[in-house]
Protein backbone atom coordinates (compact mmCIF):
# COMPACT_ATOMS: atom_id res chain seq x y z
CA UNK A 1 0.00 0.00 0.00
CA UNK A 2 2.83 2.39 0.86
CA UNK A 3 4.39 1.71 -2.55
CA UNK A 4 1.13 2.46 -4.41
CA UNK A 5 0.58 5.71 -2.49
CA UNK A 6 4.14 6.85 -3.05
CA UNK A 7 4.25 6.14 -6.79
CA UNK A 8 0.86 7.77 -7.43
CA UNK A 9 1.21 10.53 -4.85
CA UNK A 10 1.50 13.45 -7.36
CA UNK A 11 -1.53 12.31 -9.33
CA UNK A 12 -3.62 11.99 -6.15
CA UNK A 13 -2.56 15.44 -4.93
CA UNK A 14 -3.21 16.96 -8.39
CA UNK A 15 -6.76 15.64 -8.55
CA UNK A 16 -7.58 16.63 -4.97
CA UNK A 17 -6.31 20.17 -5.42
CA UNK A 18 -8.07 20.56 -8.76
CA UNK A 19 -11.38 19.53 -7.26
CA UNK A 20 -10.97 21.85 -4.29
CA UNK A 21 -9.75 25.02 -6.01
CA UNK A 22 -10.89 24.71 -9.62
CA UNK A 23 -7.60 26.36 -10.66
CA UNK A 24 -4.70 25.11 -12.73
CA UNK A 25 -2.02 23.26 -10.80
CA UNK A 26 1.70 24.00 -10.84
CA UNK A 27 2.98 20.68 -12.10
CA UNK A 28 6.54 21.44 -11.00
CA UNK A 29 5.26 21.82 -7.41
CA UNK A 30 3.57 18.45 -7.67
CA UNK A 31 6.84 16.98 -8.86
CA UNK A 32 8.53 18.26 -5.69
CA UNK A 33 5.78 16.85 -3.48
CA UNK A 34 6.39 13.48 -5.04
CA UNK A 35 9.81 13.32 -3.38
CA UNK A 36 8.41 13.62 0.17
CA UNK A 37 10.24 11.14 2.43
CA UNK A 38 8.19 8.72 4.49
CA UNK A 39 11.04 7.06 6.37
CA UNK A 40 9.67 8.06 9.78
CA UNK A 41 6.38 6.38 8.99
CA UNK A 42 8.10 3.14 8.01
CA UNK A 43 10.35 3.19 11.09
CA UNK A 44 13.52 2.35 9.14
CA UNK A 45 15.95 3.18 11.93
CA UNK A 46 16.82 -0.18 13.48
CA UNK A 47 18.90 -0.90 16.56
CA UNK A 48 21.75 -3.30 15.88
CA UNK A 49 22.11 -5.36 19.06
CA UNK A 50 25.19 -7.21 20.23
CA UNK A 51 24.36 -10.84 19.53
CA UNK A 52 25.38 -13.82 21.63
CA UNK A 53 28.99 -14.65 20.77
CA UNK A 54 28.93 -17.97 22.60
CA UNK A 55 30.65 -19.68 25.56
CA UNK A 56 28.37 -17.98 28.09
CA UNK A 57 29.83 -14.51 27.49
CA UNK A 58 27.38 -11.84 28.69
CA UNK A 59 29.47 -8.68 28.33
CA UNK A 60 32.40 -7.41 26.26
CA UNK A 61 34.65 -4.37 26.13
CA UNK A 62 34.61 -2.18 23.00
CA UNK A 63 38.21 -1.94 21.77
CA UNK A 64 37.87 -0.18 18.39
CA UNK A 65 35.23 1.40 16.16
CA UNK A 66 35.57 1.08 12.38
CA UNK A 67 32.65 3.47 11.67
CA UNK A 68 31.39 6.80 12.94
CA UNK A 69 28.02 8.52 12.98
CA UNK A 70 26.92 9.36 9.44
CA UNK A 71 28.94 6.61 7.71
CA UNK A 72 27.26 4.46 5.06
CA UNK A 73 27.68 0.72 5.64
CA UNK A 74 26.70 -2.42 3.80
CA UNK A 75 26.05 -5.91 5.02
CA UNK A 76 29.11 -7.66 6.48
CA UNK A 77 31.02 -4.36 6.78
CA UNK A 78 33.07 -4.24 9.98
CA UNK A 79 31.47 -2.11 12.67
CA UNK A 80 33.71 -2.60 15.70
CA UNK A 81 36.02 -4.94 17.53
CA UNK A 82 35.10 -6.15 21.00
CA UNK A 83 37.17 -7.99 23.60
CA UNK A 84 35.74 -10.64 25.92
CA UNK A 85 37.62 -12.41 28.68
CA UNK A 86 38.44 -15.16 26.19
CA UNK A 87 38.95 -13.65 22.71
CA UNK A 88 38.59 -10.66 20.40
CA UNK A 89 35.61 -10.61 18.03
CA UNK A 90 34.91 -8.35 15.06
CA UNK A 91 31.25 -7.35 14.80
CA UNK A 92 29.85 -6.91 11.27
CA UNK A 93 26.70 -5.20 10.05
CA UNK A 94 23.57 -7.06 9.10
CA UNK A 95 22.08 -4.12 7.21
CA UNK A 96 22.79 -1.64 4.44
CA UNK A 97 22.28 1.89 5.66
CA UNK A 98 23.64 4.89 7.51
CA UNK A 99 24.98 4.95 11.06
CA UNK A 100 22.81 7.40 13.01
CA UNK A 101 23.90 6.62 16.58
CA UNK A 102 26.77 4.86 18.36
CA UNK A 103 25.95 3.71 21.90
CA UNK A 104 29.39 3.00 23.32
CA UNK A 105 32.79 4.67 23.47
CA UNK A 106 36.15 2.95 23.40
CA UNK A 107 36.68 0.69 26.48
CA UNK A 108 32.98 0.88 27.42
CA UNK A 109 31.24 -2.33 28.49
CA UNK A 110 28.61 -3.59 26.03
CA UNK A 111 26.04 -6.18 27.13
CA UNK A 112 24.80 -9.04 24.96
CA UNK A 113 21.35 -8.24 23.61
CA UNK A 114 21.76 -4.47 24.05
CA UNK A 115 22.14 -1.98 21.14
CA UNK A 116 25.56 -1.21 19.67
CA UNK A 117 24.48 1.22 16.95
CA UNK A 118 21.33 2.56 15.30
CA UNK A 119 21.24 2.17 11.49
CA UNK A 120 18.95 4.04 9.09
CA UNK A 121 18.22 1.11 6.81
CA UNK A 122 18.15 1.88 3.07
CA UNK A 123 14.90 1.01 1.33
CA UNK A 124 14.87 0.16 -2.32
CA UNK A 125 11.27 1.37 -2.48
CA UNK A 126 12.34 4.88 -1.41
CA UNK A 127 13.55 7.13 -4.30
CA UNK A 128 17.16 8.16 -3.82
CA UNK A 129 17.40 10.47 -6.86
CA UNK A 130 15.72 11.16 -10.18
CA UNK A 131 18.89 10.84 -12.19
CA UNK A 132 20.00 7.39 -10.97
CA UNK A 133 17.97 4.66 -12.67
CA UNK A 134 19.78 1.92 -10.74
CA UNK A 135 18.97 3.39 -7.30
CA UNK A 136 15.38 4.14 -8.18
CA UNK A 137 14.36 1.87 -10.96
CA UNK A 138 10.63 2.40 -10.34
CA UNK A 139 10.55 6.17 -11.00
CA UNK A 140 9.13 7.40 -14.33
CA UNK A 141 10.66 10.03 -16.62
CA UNK A 142 7.64 12.31 -16.92
CA UNK A 143 4.41 13.19 -15.24
CA UNK A 144 2.51 12.14 -18.31
CA UNK A 145 3.56 8.54 -17.65
CA UNK A 146 2.32 8.85 -14.10
CA UNK A 147 -0.97 10.21 -15.30
CA UNK A 148 -1.40 7.22 -17.57
CA UNK A 149 -0.35 4.73 -14.87
CA UNK A 150 -3.11 2.98 -12.97
CA UNK A 151 -3.26 3.73 -9.21
CA UNK A 152 -1.84 0.29 -8.29
CA UNK A 153 -0.99 -1.88 -11.32
CA UNK A 154 -0.95 -5.62 -10.78
CA UNK A 155 2.40 -5.94 -12.52
CA UNK A 156 3.98 -3.46 -10.11
CA UNK A 157 2.58 -5.33 -7.12
CA UNK A 158 4.10 -8.59 -8.38
CA UNK A 159 7.42 -6.97 -9.16
CA UNK A 160 7.68 -5.09 -5.87
CA UNK A 161 6.44 -7.73 -3.43
CA UNK A 162 10.05 -8.70 -2.57
CA UNK A 163 11.47 -6.14 -0.13
CA UNK A 164 15.19 -5.59 -0.53
CA UNK A 165 17.80 -2.97 -1.43
CA UNK A 166 19.18 -2.04 -4.87
CA UNK A 167 22.52 -3.60 -3.98
CA UNK A 168 20.83 -6.91 -3.26
CA UNK A 169 18.78 -6.71 -6.48
CA UNK A 170 21.97 -6.07 -8.40
CA UNK A 171 23.63 -9.07 -6.74
CA UNK A 172 20.64 -11.24 -7.61
CA UNK A 173 20.62 -10.00 -11.20
CA UNK A 174 24.33 -10.76 -11.62
CA UNK A 175 23.72 -14.31 -10.42
CA UNK A 176 20.42 -14.67 -12.36
CA UNK A 177 18.59 -15.37 -9.12
CA UNK A 178 14.85 -14.98 -8.59
CA UNK A 179 14.50 -13.15 -5.27
CA UNK A 180 11.10 -14.70 -4.65
CA UNK A 181 12.89 -18.01 -4.11
CA UNK A 182 15.17 -16.59 -1.40
CA UNK A 183 14.11 -17.00 2.23
CA UNK A 184 14.12 -13.51 3.82
CA UNK A 185 15.46 -12.88 7.31
CA UNK A 186 15.38 -9.07 7.45
CA UNK A 187 12.90 -6.80 9.15
CA UNK A 188 9.30 -7.39 8.00
CA UNK A 189 10.44 -10.01 5.48
CA UNK A 190 13.19 -8.00 3.78
CA UNK A 191 15.71 -9.99 1.72
CA UNK A 192 19.21 -9.21 2.95
CA UNK A 193 22.53 -9.59 1.21
CA UNK A 194 23.35 -12.46 3.52
CA UNK A 195 20.15 -14.26 2.48
CA UNK A 196 21.27 -14.16 -1.17
CA UNK A 197 24.80 -15.30 -0.33
CA UNK A 198 23.42 -18.11 1.81
CA UNK A 199 21.03 -19.14 -0.98
CA UNK A 200 23.97 -19.24 -3.39
CA UNK A 201 25.96 -21.33 -0.86
CA UNK A 202 28.65 -18.67 -0.64
CA UNK A 203 28.38 -18.57 3.16
CA UNK A 204 27.46 -21.38 5.58
CA UNK A 205 23.78 -22.05 6.19
CA UNK A 206 22.47 -20.44 9.37
CA UNK A 207 24.94 -17.54 9.29
CA UNK A 208 22.13 -14.96 8.97
CA UNK A 209 19.70 -14.97 11.90
CA UNK A 210 16.02 -14.03 11.39
CA UNK A 211 14.96 -10.54 12.46
CA UNK A 212 12.79 -10.41 15.63
CA UNK A 213 9.88 -9.04 13.57
CA UNK A 214 9.68 -12.41 11.80
CA UNK A 215 9.81 -14.41 14.99
CA UNK A 216 7.03 -12.47 16.71
CA UNK A 217 4.45 -13.66 14.19
CA UNK A 218 4.96 -17.31 15.06
CA UNK A 219 2.03 -18.62 17.05
CA UNK A 220 3.26 -20.61 20.01
CA UNK A 221 1.07 -23.50 21.08
CA UNK A 222 -0.61 -22.83 24.43
CA UNK A 223 1.34 -24.31 27.30
CA UNK A 224 -0.38 -27.16 29.07
CA UNK A 225 -0.64 -26.31 32.75
CA UNK A 226 -1.16 -29.36 34.93
CA UNK A 227 -2.99 -28.79 38.16
CA UNK A 228 -1.26 -30.48 41.11
CA UNK A 229 -3.09 -33.52 42.41
CA UNK A 230 -1.85 -32.80 45.92
CA UNK A 231 -1.74 -29.24 47.23
CA UNK A 232 1.36 -27.87 48.96
CA UNK A 233 1.15 -27.69 52.72
CA UNK A 234 3.22 -26.29 55.55
CA UNK A 235 3.85 -28.37 58.66
CA UNK A 236 5.50 -27.00 61.77
CA UNK A 237 8.40 -29.08 63.05
CA UNK A 238 7.77 -30.57 66.46
CA UNK A 239 8.74 -33.48 68.65
CA UNK A 240 11.47 -35.75 67.25
CA UNK A 241 11.86 -33.79 64.03
CA UNK A 242 12.38 -30.52 65.86
CA UNK A 243 15.02 -32.17 68.05
CA UNK A 244 16.69 -33.64 64.95
CA UNK A 245 16.84 -30.16 63.38
CA UNK A 246 18.80 -28.85 66.35
CA UNK A 247 21.10 -31.87 66.73
CA UNK A 248 21.97 -32.09 63.02
CA UNK A 249 22.61 -28.35 62.85
CA UNK A 250 25.17 -28.81 65.62
CA UNK A 251 26.58 -31.90 63.86
CA UNK A 252 27.38 -29.85 60.76
CA UNK A 253 29.82 -27.79 62.84
CA UNK A 254 31.97 -30.90 63.45
CA UNK A 255 34.75 -31.71 60.92
CA UNK A 256 33.89 -35.33 60.07
CA UNK A 257 36.21 -37.89 58.58
CA UNK A 258 35.11 -41.36 57.50
CA UNK A 259 36.54 -44.85 57.71
CA UNK A 260 34.98 -48.09 56.40
CA UNK A 261 35.70 -51.80 56.70
CA UNK A 262 34.14 -55.26 56.24
CA UNK A 263 33.50 -57.90 58.90
CA UNK A 264 33.21 -61.65 58.26
CA UNK A 265 30.06 -62.64 60.19
CA UNK A 266 30.13 -66.43 59.76
CA UNK A 267 31.37 -67.25 63.28
CA UNK A 268 29.15 -64.70 65.01
CA UNK A 269 26.09 -65.99 63.15
CA UNK A 270 26.85 -69.50 64.33
CA UNK A 271 27.28 -68.41 67.98
CA UNK A 272 24.06 -66.38 67.95
CA UNK A 273 22.17 -69.31 66.47
CA UNK A 274 23.38 -71.49 69.34
CA UNK A 275 22.48 -68.95 72.04
CA UNK A 276 19.22 -67.60 70.60
CA UNK A 277 16.93 -70.27 72.03
CA UNK A 278 18.49 -70.15 75.49
CA UNK A 279 18.21 -66.35 75.58
CA UNK A 280 14.56 -66.56 74.54
CA UNK A 281 13.87 -68.93 77.47
CA UNK A 282 15.13 -66.16 79.74
CA UNK A 283 12.79 -63.68 78.08
CA UNK A 284 15.45 -61.96 75.99
CA UNK A 285 15.43 -61.58 72.21
CA UNK A 286 19.07 -61.93 71.16
CA UNK A 287 20.10 -60.02 68.00
CA UNK A 288 23.49 -59.09 66.58
CA UNK A 289 23.36 -55.57 68.08
CA UNK A 290 24.27 -56.64 71.68
CA UNK A 291 27.43 -58.29 70.33
CA UNK A 292 28.31 -55.10 68.38
CA UNK A 293 27.72 -52.93 71.46
CA UNK A 294 29.80 -55.15 73.73
CA UNK A 295 32.62 -55.30 71.16
CA UNK A 296 32.57 -51.49 70.96
CA UNK A 297 32.77 -51.24 74.75
CA UNK A 298 35.76 -53.62 74.79
CA UNK A 299 37.51 -51.51 72.13
CA UNK A 300 36.69 -48.26 73.98
CA UNK A 301 38.62 -49.56 77.00
CA UNK A 302 41.76 -49.57 74.87
CA UNK A 303 40.96 -46.39 72.90
CA UNK A 304 39.17 -44.14 75.43
CA UNK A 305 39.59 -41.06 73.24
CA UNK A 306 36.58 -42.28 71.23
CA UNK A 307 34.49 -42.22 74.43
CA UNK A 308 35.20 -38.57 75.11
CA UNK A 309 33.77 -35.13 74.37
CA UNK A 310 35.43 -31.89 73.35
CA UNK A 311 35.31 -28.78 75.52
CA UNK A 312 35.90 -26.10 72.90
CA UNK A 313 35.80 -23.19 75.34
CA UNK A 314 38.69 -24.57 77.40
CA UNK A 315 40.33 -26.43 74.49
CA UNK A 316 40.32 -29.69 76.44
CA UNK A 317 39.04 -33.27 76.09
CA UNK A 318 36.73 -34.81 78.68
CA UNK A 319 37.17 -38.60 78.96
CA UNK A 320 33.95 -40.32 79.99
CA UNK A 321 34.20 -43.18 82.46
CA UNK A 322 30.89 -44.85 81.56
CA UNK A 323 30.23 -46.44 78.20
CA UNK A 324 26.70 -45.13 77.52
CA UNK A 325 26.33 -46.33 73.96
CA UNK A 326 23.54 -44.67 71.97
CA UNK A 327 21.58 -46.82 69.52
CA UNK A 328 19.40 -45.46 66.69
CA UNK A 329 15.84 -46.87 66.71
CA UNK A 330 12.98 -46.46 64.27
CA UNK A 331 9.73 -45.72 66.13
CA UNK A 332 6.25 -44.49 65.13
CA UNK A 333 7.32 -41.06 66.38
CA UNK A 334 10.43 -41.08 64.17
CA UNK A 335 14.10 -41.97 64.59
CA UNK A 336 15.18 -41.78 68.22
CA UNK A 337 18.60 -42.43 69.78
CA UNK A 338 18.38 -43.64 73.39
CA UNK A 339 21.43 -45.19 75.02
CA UNK A 340 22.31 -48.32 76.93
CA UNK A 341 23.93 -47.25 80.18
CA UNK A 342 27.20 -48.69 81.61
CA UNK A 343 27.88 -51.21 78.87
CA UNK A 344 31.38 -51.80 80.25
CA UNK A 345 29.76 -53.43 83.32
CA UNK A 346 27.11 -55.49 81.53
CA UNK A 347 27.19 -58.86 79.83
CA UNK A 348 25.93 -59.42 76.31
CA UNK A 349 22.68 -60.82 77.74
CA UNK A 350 22.25 -57.75 79.98
CA UNK A 351 22.79 -55.43 77.03
CA UNK A 352 20.24 -57.42 74.99
CA UNK A 353 17.70 -57.10 77.84
CA UNK A 354 18.25 -53.31 78.05
CA UNK A 355 17.84 -53.02 74.29
CA UNK A 356 14.57 -54.95 74.39
CA UNK A 357 13.22 -52.58 77.06
CA UNK A 358 14.23 -49.47 75.10
CA UNK A 359 12.66 -50.83 71.91
CA UNK A 360 9.43 -51.69 73.71
CA UNK A 361 9.15 -48.23 75.24
CA UNK A 362 10.06 -46.65 71.89
CA UNK A 363 7.20 -48.44 70.11
CA UNK A 364 4.78 -47.26 72.81
CA UNK A 365 6.17 -43.71 72.75
CA UNK A 366 7.04 -43.89 76.44
CA UNK A 367 10.80 -43.28 76.33
CA UNK A 368 11.96 -41.10 79.22
CA UNK A 369 14.36 -38.12 79.10
CA UNK A 370 16.99 -40.09 81.03
CA UNK A 371 16.99 -42.68 78.24
CA UNK A 372 18.54 -40.07 75.95
CA UNK A 373 20.85 -38.33 78.43
CA UNK A 374 24.63 -38.70 78.77
CA UNK A 375 25.35 -40.74 75.62
CA UNK A 376 29.10 -41.15 75.00
CA UNK A 377 29.32 -43.20 71.78
CA UNK A 378 26.84 -44.16 69.04
CA UNK A 379 26.01 -47.17 66.86
CA UNK A 380 23.36 -47.41 64.15
CA UNK A 381 22.20 -50.50 62.29
CA UNK A 382 21.03 -49.31 58.88
CA UNK A 383 21.29 -52.88 57.58
CA UNK A 384 17.83 -53.76 58.88
CA UNK A 385 16.41 -51.19 56.44
CA UNK A 386 18.87 -51.76 53.60
CA UNK A 387 22.04 -50.27 52.24
CA UNK A 388 25.67 -51.11 52.61
CA UNK A 389 27.80 -48.04 53.32
CA UNK A 390 26.78 -44.68 54.73
CA UNK A 391 28.29 -41.54 56.24
CA UNK A 392 26.75 -41.20 59.72
CA UNK A 393 26.58 -37.82 61.43
CA UNK A 394 28.20 -37.41 64.85
CA UNK A 395 25.84 -36.46 67.67
CA UNK A 396 27.40 -33.58 69.58
CA UNK A 397 29.04 -33.63 72.14
CA UNK A 398 30.16 -37.16 71.17
CA UNK A 399 33.21 -37.58 68.93
CA UNK A 400 32.50 -40.83 67.04
CA UNK A 401 29.71 -42.95 65.57
CA UNK A 402 29.49 -46.24 63.68
CA UNK A 403 26.85 -47.55 61.26
CA UNK A 404 26.51 -51.23 60.30
CA UNK A 405 25.25 -52.08 56.84
CA UNK A 406 23.35 -55.06 55.45
CA UNK A 407 25.05 -58.44 55.71
CA UNK A 408 25.66 -59.84 52.22
CA UNK A 409 26.44 -63.33 51.00
CA UNK A 410 29.60 -63.17 48.86
CA UNK A 411 32.26 -65.64 47.68
CA UNK A 412 35.58 -65.52 49.55
CA UNK A 413 38.79 -67.54 49.57
CA UNK A 414 39.22 -69.86 52.55
CA UNK A 415 42.37 -70.84 54.43
CA UNK A 416 43.33 -73.34 51.70
CA UNK A 417 42.44 -70.98 48.81
CA UNK A 418 39.10 -72.69 48.35
CA UNK A 419 36.02 -70.57 47.58
CA UNK A 420 33.65 -70.41 50.53
CA UNK A 421 30.28 -68.85 51.20
CA UNK A 422 30.93 -65.77 53.32
CA UNK A 423 28.53 -63.52 55.19
CA UNK A 424 30.07 -60.05 55.08
CA UNK A 425 28.83 -56.97 56.94
CA UNK A 426 30.13 -53.49 56.14
CA UNK A 427 30.70 -50.82 58.77
CA UNK A 428 31.13 -47.07 58.32
CA UNK A 429 32.72 -44.91 61.01
CA UNK A 430 32.67 -41.12 61.37
CA UNK A 431 34.96 -39.33 63.82
CA UNK A 432 35.63 -35.77 64.93
CA UNK A 433 38.92 -34.94 63.26
CA UNK A 434 39.66 -32.26 65.84
CA UNK A 435 40.15 -35.01 68.43
CA UNK A 436 40.63 -38.33 66.62
CA UNK A 437 43.17 -39.13 63.93
CA UNK A 438 42.88 -41.78 61.22
CA UNK A 439 45.26 -44.26 62.85
CA UNK A 440 43.29 -44.27 66.10
CA UNK A 441 40.01 -44.78 64.27
CA UNK A 442 41.42 -47.63 62.17
CA UNK A 443 42.96 -49.31 65.21
CA UNK A 444 39.67 -49.10 67.12
CA UNK A 445 37.81 -50.56 64.12
CA UNK A 446 40.29 -53.45 63.82
CA UNK A 447 39.86 -54.41 67.48
CA UNK A 448 36.05 -54.17 67.23
CA UNK A 449 36.20 -56.33 64.10
CA UNK A 450 38.40 -58.89 65.87
CA UNK A 451 35.80 -59.47 68.59
CA UNK A 452 32.96 -59.91 66.08
CA UNK A 453 34.88 -62.28 63.83
CA UNK A 454 36.07 -64.27 66.86
CA UNK A 455 33.17 -64.09 69.36
CA UNK A 456 34.83 -66.64 71.66
CA UNK A 457 37.15 -63.80 72.74
CA UNK A 458 34.28 -62.48 74.84
CA UNK A 459 34.73 -65.53 77.11
CA UNK A 460 38.33 -64.67 77.95
CA UNK A 461 37.52 -61.45 79.79
Amino acid sequence: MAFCLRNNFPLIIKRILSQKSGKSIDFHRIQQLRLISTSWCLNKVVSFNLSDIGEGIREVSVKEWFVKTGDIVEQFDNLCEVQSDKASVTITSRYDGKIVKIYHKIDDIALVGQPLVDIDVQDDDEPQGRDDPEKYSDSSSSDDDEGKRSPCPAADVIRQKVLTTPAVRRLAMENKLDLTKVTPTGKYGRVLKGDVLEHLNLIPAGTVKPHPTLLQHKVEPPAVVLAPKVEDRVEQLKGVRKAMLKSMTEALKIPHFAYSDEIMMNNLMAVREQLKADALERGVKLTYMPFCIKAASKALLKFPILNSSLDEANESVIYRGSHNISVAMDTPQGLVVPNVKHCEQKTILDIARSLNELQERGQKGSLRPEDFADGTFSLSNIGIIGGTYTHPCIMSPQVAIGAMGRTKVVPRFGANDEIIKAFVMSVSWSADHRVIDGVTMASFSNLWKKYLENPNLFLLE
Side-chain angles (χ1 to χ4, degrees), residues 3-15 27-36 127 129-130 136-153 156:
F3 165 76
C4 295
L5 289 175
R6 185 159 56 249
N7 282 297
N8 297 280
F9 188 80
L11 181 59
I12 295 171
I13 295 297
K14 182 177 179 180
R15 290 181 178 176
F27 184 79
H28 181 69
R29 177 59 178 162
I30 298 298
Q31 190 71 8
Q32 292 178 340
L33 291 174
R34 189 175 183 272
L35 299 179
I36 293 176
R130 303 286 298 179
Y136 186 57
S137 58
D138 299 322
S139 62
S140 55
S141 59
S142 68
D143 260 346
D144 295 338
D145 294 338
E146 291 197 35
K148 296 176 183 178
R149 183 180 300 177
S150 61
C152 191
D156 288 347

Side-chain angles (χ1 to χ4, degrees), residues 261-274:
D261 203 351
E262 292 182 344
I263 294 89
M264 187 80 75
M265 298 289 287
N266 293 46
N267 293 336
L268 181 60
M269 292 176 67
V271 169
R272 173 184 174 266
E273 192 65 29
Q274 294 172 2

Side-chain angles (χ1 to χ4, degrees), residues 353-377:
R353 185 177 289 107
S354 298
L355 270 179
N356 291 166
E357 293 173 357
L358 290 174
Q359 289 171 341
E360 184 178 354
R361 291 203 297 269
Q363 292 300 317
K364 296 179 179 179
S366 58
L367 287 169
R368 300 164 298 192
E370 54 266 28
D371 293 330
F372 300 95
D374 302 324
T376 61
F377 185 84

Side-chain angles (χ1 to χ4, degrees), residues 44 46-48 65-80 91-102 116-123 165-168 192-193:
K44 295 181 181 178
V46 297
S47 293
F48 181 84
W65 282 104
F66 302 115
V67 295
K68 60 181 181 299
T69 302
D71 285 356
I72 303 298
V73 296
E74 293 186 354
Q75 293 181 58
F76 302 106
D77 283 353
N78 292 341
L79 295 179
C80 64
I91 306 299
T92 59
S93 175
R94 287 186 54 199
Y95 309 103
D96 295 339
K98 182 171 69 173
I99 304 295
V100 297
K101 183 178 180 180
I102 295 178
L116 281 176
V117 296
D118 282 349
I119 302 178
D120 188 358
V121 179
Q122 294 180 0
D123 188 357
T165 62
V168 176
L192 305 178
K193 183 178 180 180

Side-chain angles (χ1 to χ4, degrees), residues 207-252:
T207 301
V208 184
K209 304 300 181 183
H211 194 277
T213 55
L214 299 180
L215 301 178
Q216 67 186 8
H217 295 296
K218 294 183 179 180
V219 179
E220 297 292 338
V224 179
V225 180
L226 299 178
K229 292 185 177 180
V230 180
E231 296 294 334
D232 296 345
R233 61 190 180 93
V234 177
E235 182 177 296
Q236 194 72 25
L237 290 178
K238 55 186 177 180
V240 174
R241 291 184 178 179
K242 187 173 182 179
M244 185 168 62
L245 169 65
K246 295 180 180 179
S247 62
M248 291 299 101
T249 302
E250 290 298 317
L252 288 177

